[in-house]
């Protein structure tokens, strides 16, 4: 099993297409975990709309929000292999 860890922040024009590509991988056993640090971030509703993705949102009180997001995602990862997608 593989866990894909993807921090998200903001929403580019092609954001939905990009996150959708993460959930259409031709691999038998994987999960996609998206992480954000602000529940009000505009990326949150787009990820929540995907039934095939898991979103972890935490208020990160750390100097590096992306690293803090990856730490939180790693705590939820079930796969034996982790892929960090940035």
């Amino acid at each position: 099993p593989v866990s894909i860890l993807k921090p998200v922040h903001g929403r580019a024009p092609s954001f939905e297409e990009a996150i959708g590509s993460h959930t259409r991988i031709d691999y038998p056993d994987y999960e996609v975990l998206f992480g954000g640090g602000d529940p009000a971030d505009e990326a949150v509703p787009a990820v929540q709309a995907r039934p095939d993705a898991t979103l972890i949102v935490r208020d990160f009180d750390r100097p590096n929000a992306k690293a803090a997001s990856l730490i939180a995602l790693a705590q939820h990862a079930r796969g034996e292999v982790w892929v960090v997608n940035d």
Side-chain angles (χ1 to χ4, degrees), residues 8-80:
V8 294
H9 176 72
R11 191 166 160 187
S14 59
F15 184 74
E16 285 84 358
E17 181 181 336
I19 63 171
S21 70
H22 287 73
T23 61
R24 292 188 305 269
I25 298 171
D26 185 16
Y27 191 79
D29 191 6
Y30 73 97
E31 66 178 348
V32 183
L33 303 171
F34 294 92
D38 180 1
D41 188 301
E42 58 187 333
V44 169
V47 176
Q48 287 175 326
R50 299 210 55 93
D52 47 3
T54 301
L55 176 66
I56 309 298
V57 178
R58 292 213 180 131
D59 182 18
F60 303 119
D61 185 25
R62 307 238 172 133
N64 186 323
K66 188 180 296 184
S69 177
L70 289 170
I71 290 168
L73 293 173
Q75 293 171 344
H76 289 84
R78 294 180 287 127
E80 295 175 21

